[in-house]
Every structure is written in structure tokens, then in C-alpha cells.
Amino acid sequence: MEMRVAAGRWTPLLLLATLLLASNLVSGSHFRYGTISWRPIDTGDAIDAGLDITSVDFDNLARHTVAFEFKAAYRRNYEWGKFFREQWRLPAGPNEENTQPWQDGGSCYTKDSCSVEVPATGSQNYQMFISEEEAIAAGSDIGERSYLEWQIKLAVGRSYYELNVTGPNINNEFSDTRRPCVSPFDTGDKPICLGTDPSGTVNSYPAGYYPVTQIDPTTNRPVPYDATYPNFVNADTVPCEKVDNADPDYCSPWSQTYGFFFGDNDDNGYPTSTDVVLTITDTNFEVTNVGNYLLGTSSFYHTYRKNGVPTKKKEDFTPWTAYFTGGNRLTYTTERLINNHQGRFRLELTVNLNYPGEVIGKQGYVPNNSPVMTALPVLPVPYTGRSEISANGMLATFQVAGFDPDIDIKAYQGSKLESNEKVYYYLGSPRKMGMLLANQVPDMKYPSRWNREDYEAARKECYQRSCAPTGADAAPFVLVGTGTPGKGATRDGSNAIPAGTNLTLGNNFTDLANGFPLFTYEGTCSECANGDRTCTSLRLLVDGFTTETPLNFTCERYKPWDNKLNLAHQPERLYLDRYSGVVQWETGINPRDVDNATYLTDFWNHRDSGDVSNTKYAKRLAAKGTQPSPEQEPLQPGFYNVVFDVRSYSHDPDCHLKVYDAATLGSISPHTGKAFTLPAPGNGGLYTEAQCKAVDDENMIDIAYVSVPLDFLLFLYPPASWCSKSKCRNTQAGITTFRDEGFYGTQNDVNVLSTGSCTICGGGEWNLYDVSAAGLTDKQLNLTDYTVCLQDDDCKYDFDTVAITPAIEADICKRNTPPKWVDQASAGNDDGNTPTPRLADRPTWSTLRVVPSDPTSALASDPFIDGVPIENVYPGLALFLGQRSSEVRFNLTAVDEDDCVEMQILPIGLFMGYTMYTMTEDGLTKGTQACTYKDATKDRNCIYNMKLELIRRIGTTNQFYRTFIWKANDTLPQIQDPRPPNVIVCFIPFDNYQIGVRRCVNIILSKDQALFWVDARPKLRELFLSENERNDAFEEIVSKCGLSVTGPNLKHYENPCEYTPADLTTFYISPGQTLEFYMTAMQDSGNPPIGIYISEGGTMRANGTVGPPEGATFEYLEYDDKSGKTHLRDPAKRRFTWTPKEGQQCKYVLCFIGNNTRELEESIEFTSTFFWTRPFVPIPALLDERCYTIVVADQQLDMQAGSFVDAAAALPSLTSDCGMTFSMWFYPEGTTTMSLATFGYTKPGETDNIVYMLEWDPVTAVVFHDGITVQDLGQYYRLKFSTGQSYIIQTDAEFCVNEWHFLTFTIAPNGNFVLYLDGVETTHYSDDDRDFHVVAVETGSMPVVDGKVEIIGDILNNNPGYTGFLRIGSFDAVQTFNGMIGDVRIYSRVLTAEEIGAKQFVPLTATSEVGLEAYYKFNDGSQADNTLGNPQGNFNKYRAQPPASADPDCNLAGDTFCNNDVRDAPEGPFGSEMKAKGQSVTDLSGNNNHAIGCDDANCRKESTMYFVFGPSPITPPCPQETSPDVVHVDGGTPIAISGIGFARSQWLKCSFSMSDGSIKVIKAVHSDNSTIICANPGSPDLTVSALEVTNGGVNFFTNFQIPIYMMERVVSFPETGGKVTIKDACDMIGTNLFSMGAWVYPLSQSSSALEDVISLIGMTSNDQTGLLSVRYDGVRFVVHEKIGNTETALGESPDAPAHNMGEGSGWHYVMLSGNTDRLVLYMDGESTELTATSISLSTCDLELGTTTTGRKAFFGYVEEMSAFSGFLNACDSYQIMWGN
């Protein structure tokens, strides 16, 4: 980029010292920042507001009383108390009212006006709020230097006085300045009564009245004399005074007035006002440009009245306008305020008291509050050139910080997305900036020239003194439009303005015809050749003496009046997005160099105007990428004043309920000078409610919104740089900046933490040298000084011979970068970092919209230029999901990658408890606040206040964090939590030089509330579409469903809209088809986000979560609110889509749940399943699990009584070139001869000609008769093939009906013909289980012509007029087929016997087949093919019919059914639901040789043909359950296997894996398509066998395996009690020498009582009952003895977990051994010494378990019980445990 020095368009003065003596100049040196907000008072404010709570009028007064919150920052070491009646006082004691006396420095002239006056000890009794260091330097007592809670009074007055009445003078004339002037240009001064008016004519006006001569420079209208002023006659005339003076007479001018004014009048008609008592909350002692301030707040109250009656606003369409003004702004010469220097500041806001949630009666109300703003008193902004992107995008960028504390009352019931209302940001108008500037020439030279006329008159005088010959006129200075030098302004008394004149601010309209020209002198300075004559002087204080230094006149220094420069104005080239508050500022590269780079339009996108014909727009699009622009001079460094007008919706119903008469009420905004937006045409003068809510319309009338000001300073500086911490010592002080004196990284306090000291080596401030001077270095200009870094061996610098290269320079002196957020690793995963934005939560607009402050800006010339990409400055809402009545807590973590850091993390708009409302038990707002304002703000004891903990550093890193906390009352029911359920709070990171990107967090508080699946239940409509609570999102969903979704004549097999399917719905689908359904859920509250998850039955993924089956997707589809603002997430909609592949045929059960929060799926835990009970009863909707069955099944073609499918499209490809192969699966059901497939053609006008026909032919039964008995050998069938020439070949007659068969025939080019039946397999099983060999192949030859056989394709190709047919199924009404047809394959080549056998049981993959011309699987059926209808896809939907009484009231407990006979769907597949007549059959070969089902016109009318769900031998079966699943190793147990896809096939078999790796195959018995039976083959040892099933004999489908446990038998003890007794055990073993043990498998996890496992029970020698027992307590085994009624615990084993209780659970070996001295318990090989038993049983039984009353039964298994009459040691026990 070319760099050159900018032209000398501004030249700062280098001044040694300046002290200004005029009071109104000093007053301008201390204001830094201010904002005001307001709120209606609460009960805690009543006494402070001076209201009598016992008064009958209390409620009315309270509803019209406002609490104002004033925040401001002023220069700290200003001479407080010297001017303008300012006072201060010490703080009060803890919890005390401040009664300390007020003190002043001599500016308080009367005791009455200044409260308590403390006599000054001298003229220098000013309060300087000095620091500790300053106190030490001055030799004074250090004392208290924090100044927290000190108070400053900012009084109401004019100059040194109150606004009051003075006089009478000698002419009995009074001055009344109790009213501030209405117009900023009104001086309040009466003209002198001369007897003639200013035009020189005889006075023709009423005695003592003159025409108004003061002109408003923004409109060039005369300033009207207001009706509230004394002696008002009309707006065009003003009373005069007999003794002329410059003092105001009838109002206090803006240039002199100070104080806070409420906007209404007192009982005497005078404006109400108040002194502002500012309590200091922060003191900054840094004597730097951005420090050295006092920050304070003030709260005060006012009851608004009109004519003594409390009222919420001034007029129907006019709110109250309140404002604070208190002096002038900074100067230009000494304090470098570039714009608005020495201007008046005015914090103006509107007040309109409305209660949008008002409830008539005693329930209370919810008031509307104003927005609340905050800012740093001085915001540093670094220069950022066009080619350099700042932290937030292009140009220097920052964001205005504010929020609206209003909580929409409806949000508690969930009818809004966000609880807090939106705010909109505008640049303040000149009026709201204070309008007037002092216009002192030179700067700080008294007097101030507030008005244009005064300024121009002084400028003319200056010209005369400097340039004109003595006594001569001021030629060539000419009053604009007069043509005569020095003539001056004249009037003829008329103040008419031509109709239609555009009177916007800055308009240069001049009405010469009516005698008031634009009062501006213009001309050249040619007569001032050298500029060497004195125009004015500069007053300086040098060595304690005041001197007047002459200044020569230049036109550059004393320019003609320009409204854009001589009235308050925003900084140049400033752009604002009204929706986000993002500000962009085109500053230039640095203070010296011109920026001639192109705009990066990748960052300045173009917004479509909607008019594609717009040539300007089209041109812009063509230029996308870079945007050429003129060279841009840099802005001056230093301070800039910026004022924002921030608005929110007023909720004033009058806006749209009352007629607006523009003729009477006005059509021009007094703030902007622009035309108001008027009511929509044809609406009878009424605004629409939408217009009134359009706060983003800048020109909407004032009553539609409330506005507050934000006034603060920007400090423009060259970006700062630090010396490298790794290369430089950083012990030498570097460049002094606006906030630091040579070092950075040293500030540490409760709000700021630092990482260590770095030397400042560049930027940070600008030394005020004249830039036109030649030869100034970067070091001299404070841009860069690398030498301060060169302090050690790593940073050497030879000033004589070596120059630092740019690469090394950049490595040594590093540019400051803004801080950034440290995001969570994934959105919603709380890992201690900052909540992360989700892309779906970003606004839908792509770029920021900008409003230029300067309409002449290059960027302002094209309305289609937008700002930076939205994600750069507003990356989307981060989401925090919380719970009602539970604390919210998260960290805000930021990092600064600089070597040194000073970090702050600042909040924007933390909600306080006074904006929240208590809730009833029904979840309705009571209208009373959760906390009073005093509790929330002053006493800070409101639990519901949001807060940030102090900043902390993470170890020694450059990362810092603050913890956000929002406490809750966890004893309240969730429905009564007063915290709003959906709010947005924002935060910014700040390193004391640059601000990072704002982060906004959307906090969602969910409750265990009604969460509904959106379906066709009628009560849902009643709930969400009632008159009071219409849910737009729900209405949008159901609008797609038609007016009715249930009814006696409707059968909803389909999903007509995006409804959630009914619980227990079953979907049938075939491979290759697509299943799609929606899971749509919404809450009664409307609080997003809702999560929808697969809870059970899906695929277990690697991260442990449950996901859709392989190949399926389950994706969120957000509802767009169509406004272009954001996405709605309630209702939540998630679409399940699956196209199963071949091999996935099975039954799947998937369950879904909805959750009140949307979480990462890996964090979801599904611990249990919740089903609806029967009959239906409501359960918590959070747990309303919807479970569906998805059956992936093949389809077959069912034909009866004369139907067929014609596959003629494939015939032309079957020629004698390569021969042909035809294969098909068929399932015959008839008992007569049936055609299977017929090939032929039809000649024009003739009947059908058969070429080949395949038939299934019964054979006459063979009967044996010996004269005594008759034996029928059964019905046999054979496959028969014939040609048109009656050539017949057939198989042996030995095949059966009602099972699947596979036929194939091939014809070779040489005429060889082979017929296959059931492939090449030579073994099969007959009904009587006899094995026998089948001759499956019979061969022959076809007629050959000229060496080749003529195949059907040859006939058709050689005879173009012939029409071919291939009828699969019936040939005609006589030769019909009854049964099912499966896979049909047609090849244009001859397959070998090996190929046929290999493909017989395998679905084909068309891309790997050679010569495959057609492939029909008949998976084409769906309910959509019928009037039943399923418009969403080609799947079928089924629903079991619930009992009619399940939902007698049609409430929300059921699904889509209501108490009638209309069922939601059929209960399951049925034969006639998917018609095939006339339907297309898809060719899967890829050749598009699709077949077509016959219709009633070409097949037998009474015939039927349907697609049906059913398996064939090529279908992979899916076994799912077995009964039993545990069988004995001996074998022989019948095992019933249930699942889907079991074909009635002669090859149906089961396989069992053995422990030795072998496989045993067992023939299966077919019960139906979902159940088969196989016998357990037995196993040589214990094993877990993998059971598999095949329909095709050899191709076992390993995707679906079921474990079969082959085990020995064990004793199972039920939980209800069971016992095995070994009688007279003591005859074999005794209690004095014994061992008894067993394998034990506990199932109980309860420790409530001991379970008896092994016991010896009998009688002792003294006839007492005795018991020695091993028991189980749910965790371990314990041993007890009992003699008589005395029971003693003898000891216990180590932990022995029960079933499913973690590591080590399951089987345990337990043995108890004892003798007269010892008792030992062995458990799993470990021994535990017990207390020796004292029991001795003479007779006893050994019991396993128990059924005895009073003793708890053992629950579990016992195996391998053994007992010994001897004491066994540990080794013995171990050997026996393992069977040795």
C-alpha cells in the first residue's frame, strides 16, 4: 500500500501552559460520560419518593411516579465547588442517611439555594479529590483517598444563580428565567424598545412588542416565542425592554442553564427540576487521558402531573421529555476534544408510563422500564486502516452496551422467544448532543459565540481588524445572498417559509424574498496577503503572569459558519448498526498517513434491495471483491464525543388506538428535522400496531418508543505495541501512552489482573507536533520506538552501522491485539470456558446494516453497502441450559495472546431482582416484584440478582475468567421461580486498550412442565390455539394438515403434516425404499430449546450414545420465524430418514424422548424406559417416550385367479447371439395346472402366439389297493416347459405345493436347452423326512434354423409389427396362477449350472452382473398406491387399535385417536392393502425394463394381484428371541425362535456353533413367517452357542445371531421362597467336624434382611432348637448361629457382589468348615476365620434356601452342593471349587 504524508488539514498547537479565567470555560473541562434511565417505582421506593402509603390516592400517585437512575463521570482533579453552585460532602456512616454538611468553594451565593453553606477558608477552598501521591507531594495529610460514597451536588441554575425572577429595575421590568428556553437558539434576551423596528420603519406592533429576529440555523426559521413565556401574544413577536442588556429576560438559554429538568410543570406552571446528588462509586487516580475521573450514580424520584393531575405522558402522542445539562465539554487546545469541543452536553430521554401486563382488579401490574446503558467513561479506539481488519471486522469497531430490563410478562407462560425486550441503537441528533458549541476563536478565547449571528458578526469584525483598511468596510466579506458587502441581515416582518421546503438539519435555505438571508459571510482572504495583522489574542499564564499573545487572522482558523461543524455533531465517518449496537469507524491508518487502500468488500457485503433491475446494485455486485475508493485523510488523534439515542418499545396503546392528525400535531421530528412516519394509508388516521412496534423505524413518532441517552468519549490513538517478553528485559520505561507511563501489564485490582511488565515501544498516543514539519521520525511522533526494547544481548542495536530489519522489528516490538474468548470445546459442554455460540442460533441476516453519521461519506453514497459479516461481530447466541429453581453458574474465560496483559471482563446488562415478578401456584405473575429496587440495588440482598465474581487468572497463563452466578430459591416449586425463563446477557473482554467481541449468552431455564408431542390430538389445538394464547408455531404446523385431522370418514395411514406418529406405530418398509417421519415436540411454556433423542433400540455408537440404525439420519429442522431475525427452537422438529439396504431385513424397535433442554447426545443418560400404561393415564410429559417398530421386509407378488405382470420390455435383448437365461422364485398354492411364465407375441389383428410356456402341473395320484386297504401316496407336481411347436420337456413328478421353488431355464445359441428346478442341489427333505436323490435337470434341444435357434428376441427384432409379451403368472382366464412370485431375473446370456447354484439364494447386485437385462424384486408396494394413501413415502404405517374407553374425554392422554371407532391405522399388514394391478414394477438391473401389472381390461376382472410383505428363500431371516434361551448340554430341547423373515422353505435350517469351533446344522420346522422351531443339538460341554438361521440352506446370515446357553441344570430359588432339604444330615456330618459348600449365584441386591443360603438346623443335646447358617446380605456372605432364641453373628466374607452389581458380580463358591476349635468361611478361594461355633446338634437336616416364616428366602441359583464329615483347609476348598 502506498504511504504518503497527509496534507496539513489540521495543525495542533504546541502549548506550554494554559489557564482560562472565564468561568464558563472552566466548566467545560470536566464532563466525561453520562447516561440516564428510569423505571416506575415499587413499594420499596414509596417512602423515599415522598409518598404517603396511607393516602387514598397512593396507588394513583405511585403509578405515575418515576425513579431516575443517573450515571456520570467527571474529571477528578477539577476545582469542584468553584463554579456553578457545585458542592460536596463526606460520606455517611454505615447504614446511615447522609446528614453531613455540604461544602463549596465560593460559587454558592445564597444559603437557601445551596442548602448548608460551610464558610470558605479562602478563595481556594475547592475540592480536588487528590490522590495519596498528590497529597504527599503537597505536604498535606493523606487521609481517606478512596472517596467512595462521597457525594457531589450538581445544582439547578444559571451561571451562579438559581432559575428565578429578578427585578424590578428602574423601568419596573422583571427578568423571569425560571423556564429553560425551548429552543437551543433562543437567547432569552428581549430587544430594546427603540420606537422603530429593526427594519427602520415606524413601530406598528403592539406597545412593547417586536418581531422575532433570532434565527434557527438548522431550519432558517425564526425562533418562535413560546406560549409558556411571559406576556405571550403570538409566536412571531417578542416583548422588548427599555434598558438594553445581554442578560436573559424571559427564559434561561441553553448556553447558561444547568440541572435536571423533568419535563412537566409545577402547580404554578413552571418546569419542575431537581438538584442531582451524585454518589461516588469509583475513583480513578491515573493522571492520563482516559483515567483521572470520578464515576458516580444518583437516584431520585418524580411524580408526573399535568395541571396538577397525575398522568403518564404529556399529550396523547407526546411523551415527557426529561434532560440533564451541566456545563460544557472538553476543550480542543488543551484536552484534544476534536468534535463538539466546549459544547453544551444534554442527556435527554423520554418518559412514558405504561403497564403492558396490567390486570384490572387487585392482581397488580407489570410496568414498562426504559433501557439501561453503560459504557467506559473513555473508550480507547486504535487507528485501523482499510486493509487491516480489527478484532470485529473491517475498520475500527466497538459495540454500544445496553439492555432493556423489562421482562415480558407473557414470557413466563412461554409465548415469546426471549423474555427481555429488544433495544435499538441510533446516533443522537444534534439536539440530543446539546446542539450548541462555544465556537470560541481561537479555542478557549472568551466570549463564546453560541449563535450563528454572533459568530458571523465577530468573524466580520475580526476580518476588518486583520485585513481591511482602516475605516473601510469588510469587503470582500459579503452576507450570503445580499450581494452588498457589510449590509447585514434585514427583515420585513414576514416569517413565511415557502411550502414544501425541506427543513432538515443543515439545510441552507435562504428566503431572500421575505428578508431573512442565511446569516453567513463569505469571501476570499486575498487582502490579507501575509496574515500579519492581529485578529484576536490568546490569553496565557506564563510564570504566574497572565499575558495576551496576539494571533494573526487566517481564514483557515476562522471559517464561515457551517451547521455540520459549528453545531454539535457526531465524529466523522462513524457507522452504526441499529439492531446490534455495532459501531464502525473509518479512522485512517495512523495520524500521519493517507489511506489509499481499497475496501475489502469480502467484509462489506451487499444487501439485495429486492429490485434486480437496479443498475446500481447490479454494478455493485459485479465489483464484489474490492471496492475502489478515494484516498482518505486520517482523522485527528485525540478525543471524540459520541452520543447514542437508545430506544425500546413503549407499549403505549394510544399509539394505535387514537387518530394522529399530522396537520395539527406536526409531521416533522423536532429531534432530527426529518418527517415522521405517518399512519398507513386507508387506516383512518390510525397507526397499526405493527407500526407502533417498529422501533427500528428511526422516524416513527416519539410515543411509540422510550429513549435514553448514552454520552461518552472515544479516544483515537495509534495502536500500541509492547517489547517482546522473550527477547527484552522490559525494565526500562518506554513510551508514555494515554493510560500508562512507559509500562504495560502492571495494573492489578479487584477488576483488573495483569501478567507482568512490558515496555511500551509504540503507539498509544500522539505527540502533538505539527505534522507539516519535515523530517519527523516515527519515534518523535510516538508511532514506534524500537530502541527502548534493546536492553540485552538478544536485542543488540548498533546505531552507527546496523539498521533493524522489518522482520526483526516486528519480532521485537509487538503490536497489541484484542482479547478473545476461550470457547467451550463444544456448545453446551461446560468445561469451564465461555459458553460457545451455535451456528443455528446466529441471526439469519448475513451482514450488519450501517447508518453513516456523515451523509457525504464515500460509504454513505451507496445504500446497498452493508457492514461486516454478522458472525464477526455477533457470532451468535451462546446457549446455557438451566433449570427453574436451580442456580445458574458458568465461567467467562478470555485470553490475550500478547506478551503482557491487563485483563477485564465486563458485563452488559445483568438483570436485577426488581425487574422480576413473583408467581402464583398456577404459574401466573402476581404483578408484584420479586425484590424491591432498594433490596436489589442498594442493599444488595436480593437473591435473584445476577452477578459476576472477581476476575481470576488461570495459573501463569494469559487466560482469565470470571464466574457468572444467578442464584435461585431452590425451595420454590419450579413454576413459581420468579426468574425469567429466557434471557440474554452479554459480556466483553477488555485489555485496557482494545475491546474484544461481545459474547451474548441465552440462558434458558426449563421446568418439568408439559412437553407435548405434536400430533392430531384435538386437545392440542385447544391448548395452543385458544383465544388467549395462540401459538404461531403450532398454528403453522397444523395449517399443513387441513381443517380436520380426525373424523369418522378419515383413515390416516399417512402423516399429513409434520406430526409425531402415534405411540406403538409400526412401519413396514422394503430395502431400497425410504422411510421418513418427524418427531415434533413443543412445550406449553414455549421456552426453547427442546431436545429430541433416540432413547433405546438404535445402534450403540462408539461414544456410548444411542443413534439411528446404520444408514439412517436423525436431524434437527428448525422452524424459521420468517422475520429474518433468529431461529425458533420450540417447537423442535427432528426428521428420521432411512433407506434400508439389502441385508438389513429385520424388526427394529426405536424409542424417542423429548427433553426440555437440548444437550450433546453423548451427555444424555437413558436409565429406564417409560411406556404408556393401559388404560392410558397421563404421565410426566418429559418422560413421554414414543416407541415405534420398523420392520424391514421383502415383498412378494401375490396373484389369484388370472392376473399377471407383463415384462415384455426385456424381450428384445434376448437373442440367439448369446442365448438367454430366465429364473424366478414361485410359491404355488393351487391344485390344478398353473402357468408360471409365458413368452410370446401378438401379430396385428391376431390372437396371442406362445413361444415358451412354463407350467406347474399336477400328476395323477398313485393308489395302491390290495383288496383290503387303500394307500394314497399323495399329490405330486412337476415343472413342464413347452414351445410354440408343442415341444415338451418336464421334470419328474415329486415336488410339493405350499413351499418355495426356484426355476431356471437356459437356451443356448446352438439350441441346447436346460431346465433347472430348485438349482443344482441334489438333496432335499420330503414331508416324511426321507432323504432321496432328485434328478433336478432334464435336457433336450430346441429347433435350430441355419445353425441357430430362434429365441423370442430374434422374432420380435425381425418382425417390427409384432408385440411381445412375457406374462409372469397367469396366461389367461383358464391357465391361471395362484400363489406368490419372488425374484425374477432375465439374462441375455447362458448361465452355467455353477452360476445358477451360486446365485439361487443371493440377492443380485446389478452392477456386478454380466448380461442382466431385467431384475424384478417386487418391492414396489405401498399404501400410497391406494386410496388409503401415504403421501409421505412408499412405506406402510400401522397402529394397534386401543380400547375405545382409553380416552373417553378426548384429552391429551391418548395419541391421535379419540373415543370413536376410527382407528389411526390398521393393526398390521393385510393382503389387499397394496394393489399391484396397473402398477409399475421396477427393473433393478439399471436398464429401465420396467414391468407393468395387468389391469381389469387385460386380465381376468375377478382376479386379484397385490404386493405383500413376506419372505422368500433369498430373504435373510432375522431371529430375535428364543424360548428357552438356556438349554441342557444333553440336547434334544425344542427351541422356539421368533423374529421375522422366516420363509416356508425346504431349505429352512438352524446352525449352532460349538465350543470346539464346529457348526451343527439342524432342519427347522416352519410355524409361520415369524416363528420356527429347531431342536437343541446338544454339546459335549458347557458353551454359549451362536444360533443362526437361513432360508436357503447354506447361506446363514451372520448379521443376526442369538446366544443359546447350553448348560447343566442348577437349582433356581425364586424370590418368593424355595427349599431343598437333605434329611438327617447330622448322621453323615456333625457340627463338631464338618465342611459344606456350593456354587452360589445371588440375584438379590437388597440388604434389608439376611437370606438363608445353606443351613444346618436341628436339635441340641439339651433339646433346644439349633441353627448354623450361611446367609447373604446383598453384599457379602455372613455366618450366624442360633440356640433357642439367642442368635449370634460369627463373621462375614469379603464383598461378594450380586448379579449386575459391578466387577466381581455373579457366581461365588462358598464353603463353611468347622471343628471344635475353628470355624472358617471360604469364599472364592479366600479364607476368613470366624468365631468358633458353640452349637452341637444331635440331629439335623441340611437345607438349601428356606420357606420358613420369619426367615428371608434366598433368591438366586445354587449348583454343585457338597458336604464332608471333616475339616477342610483352604487348599482342599480350592480343589473342590474347581471340581477336583
Side-chain angles (χ1 to χ4, degrees), residues 504-550:
T504 58
L505 294 181
N507 181 273
N508 289 325
F509 167 74
T510 301
D511 185 9
L512 289 178
N514 291 314
F516 44 96
L518 184 67
F519 202 111
T520 303
Y521 286 98
E522 61 182 14
T524 67
C525 294
S526 58
E527 295 188 21
C528 298
N530 299 316
D532 58 354
R533 295 173 64 179
T534 299
C535 165
T536 184
S537 61
L538 180 65
R539 185 176 300 166
L540 298 175
L541 180 68
V542 180
D543 296 331
F545 295 95
T546 301
T547 62
E548 292 277 344
T549 301

Side-chain angles (χ1 to χ4, degrees), residues 36-53:
I36 308 174
S37 60
W38 59 265
R39 60 180 176 82
I41 67 166
D42 57 36
T43 54
D45 296 305
I47 296 177
D48 292 340
L51 300 180
D52 181 2
I53 60 176

Side-chain angles (χ1 to χ4, degrees), residues 110-140:
T110 67
K111 185 173 182 179
D112 290 341
S113 65
C114 295
S115 185
V116 179
E117 179 183 359
V118 176
T121 57
S123 60
Q124 298 302 312
N125 186 28
Y126 313 136
Q127 178 55 254
M128 300 288 288
F129 294 101
I130 61 175
S131 66
E132 185 173 321
E133 291 79 5
E134 292 167 338
I136 294 172
S140 64

Side-chain angles (χ1 to χ4, degrees), residues 170-489:
I170 59 175
N171 296 308
N172 201 34
E173 294 173 331
F174 291 82
S175 293
D176 187 352
T177 59
R178 287 175 290 182
R179 300 176 181 85
C181 295
V182 175
S183 169
F185 307 106
D186 197 333
T187 63
D189 184 26
K190 298 176 182 178
I192 188 170
C193 301
L194 298 176
T196 58
D197 70 12
S199 65
T201 60
V202 177
N203 184 4
S204 60
Y205 298 101
Y209 284 84
Y210 277 69
V212 174
T213 58
Q214 297 178 104
I215 303 296
D216 182 339
T218 67
T219 63
N220 285 319
R221 293 172 180 263
V223 176
Y225 191 76
D226 195 77
T228 63
Y229 294 161
N231 303 314
F232 172 80
V233 174
N234 58 54
D236 300 329
T237 59
V238 57
C240 61
E241 58 184 348
K242 295 179 180 178
V243 177
D244 191 22
N245 58 50
D247 293 332
D249 300 301
Y250 54 83
C251 65
S252 181
W254 283 34
S255 60
Q256 300 178 27
T257 307
Y258 50 87
F260 190 95
F261 298 88
F262 294 109
D264 62 348
N265 295 330
D266 59 21
D267 293 342
N268 296 317
Y270 292 100
T272 58
S273 60
T274 187
D275 297 342
V276 173
V277 177
L278 195 69
T279 300
I280 297 174
T281 58
D282 186 24
T283 309
N284 186 297
F285 292 106
E286 297 177 4
V287 188
T288 62
N289 283 326
V290 299
N292 192 35
Y293 58 80
L294 300 174
L295 184 64
T297 64
S298 179
S299 297
F300 44 92
Y301 305 89
H302 182 67
T303 302
Y304 275 96
R305 294 176 172 89
K306 181 180 178 182
N307 299 325
V309 178
T311 182
K312 68 178 186 178
K313 56 188 173 183
K314 188 174 183 179
E315 304 287 350
D316 284 348
F317 290 93
T318 307
W320 299 114
T321 298
Y323 63 92
F324 173 80
T325 180
N328 296 357
R329 300 186 186 276
L330 309 185
T331 66
Y332 173 78
T333 303
T334 60
E335 295 169 302
R336 300 296 302 158
L337 179 59
I338 309 303
N339 69 321
N340 300 341
H341 41 272
Q342 297 190 71
R344 303 294 290 175
F345 71 86
R346 178 183 174 95
L347 302 176
E348 182 177 299
L349 66 161
T350 60
V351 179
N352 187 3
L353 286 162
N354 288 287
Y355 299 87
E358 184 170 358
V359 178
I360 298 175
K362 299 181 179 180
Q363 203 172 358
Y365 49 86
V366 178
N368 186 48
N369 298 262
S370 77
V372 177
M373 307 304 297
T374 186
L376 298 172
V378 181
L379 177 65
V381 180
Y383 279 92
T384 309
R386 295 173 185 166
S387 63
E388 184 177 0
I389 308 303
S390 73
N392 298 332
M394 186 178 178
L395 310 179
T397 308
F398 60 91
Q399 286 179 286
V400 183
F403 78 114
D404 191 324
D406 287 325
I407 305 299
D408 191 321
I409 190 170
K410 293 182 180 179
Y412 284 98
Q413 280 72 51
S415 58
K416 273 179 70 75
L417 173 65
E418 296 169 11
S419 305
N420 46 315
E421 293 188 348
K422 296 184 181 298
V423 293
Y424 300 87
Y425 304 86
Y426 295 92
L427 292 171
S429 65
R431 174 188 175 92
K432 293 191 175 185
M433 299 186 78
M435 187 64 84
L436 300 180
L437 305 184
N439 294 315
Q440 295 170 349
V441 181
D443 184 48
M444 301 173 67
K445 173 65 177 181
Y446 186 77
S448 299
R449 311 294 181 178
W450 303 105
N451 298 310
R452 184 176 63 186
E453 291 83 356
D454 189 21
Y455 177 88
E456 285 296 327
R459 186 166 168 269
K460 174 188 174 185
E461 177 187 354
C462 189
Y463 179 85
Q464 285 180 309
R465 291 174 59 187
S466 302
C467 302
T470 304
D473 285 337
F477 264 30
V478 178
L479 193 62
V480 172
T482 63
T484 305
K487 177 180 179 182

Side-chain angles (χ1 to χ4, degrees), residues 641-662:
N641 165 235
V642 62
V643 177
F644 296 96
D645 176 13
V646 184
R647 305 175 182 179
S648 67
Y649 180 39
S650 71
H651 295 275
D652 192 331
D654 288 350
C655 178
H656 60 89
L657 295 178
K658 294 190 176 182
V659 174
Y660 186 82
D661 183 0

Side-chain angles (χ1 to χ4, degrees), residues 5-12 14 592 766-778 780-781:
V5 175
R9 53 185 291 275
W10 52 270
T11 307
L14 181 61
R592 178 182 62 181
W766 173 261
N767 289 330
L768 302 180
Y769 294 93
D770 188 336
V771 295
S772 63
L776 294 179
T777 66
D778 283 354
Q780 288 173 304
L781 295 174

Side-chain angles (χ1 to χ4, degrees), residues 1226 1228 1236 1253-1260 1276-1282 1287-1296 1301-1306 1313-1321 1324 1332-1340 1546:
F1226 65 98
L1236 298 175
M1253 176 179 282
L1254 286 160
E1255 297 172 283
W1256 187 247
D1257 191 32
V1259 178
T1260 302
Y1276 283 77
Y1277 295 83
R1278 60 189 173 196
L1279 181 64
K1280 183 168 64 175
F1281 177 87
S1282 61
Y1287 174 84
I1288 296 176
I1289 187 170
Q1290 60 191 22
T1291 63
D1292 287 346
E1294 49 190 5
F1295 296 95
C1296 305
H1301 297 282
F1302 183 67
L1303 72 83
T1304 305
F1305 73 86
T1306 63
F1313 171 85
V1314 182
L1315 178 64
Y1316 299 83
L1317 184 60
D1318 294 334
V1320 296
E1321 184 177 310
H1324 71 270
F1332 56 93
H1333 181 70
V1334 176
V1335 179
V1337 180
E1338 185 169 344
T1339 61
Q1546 54 189 303

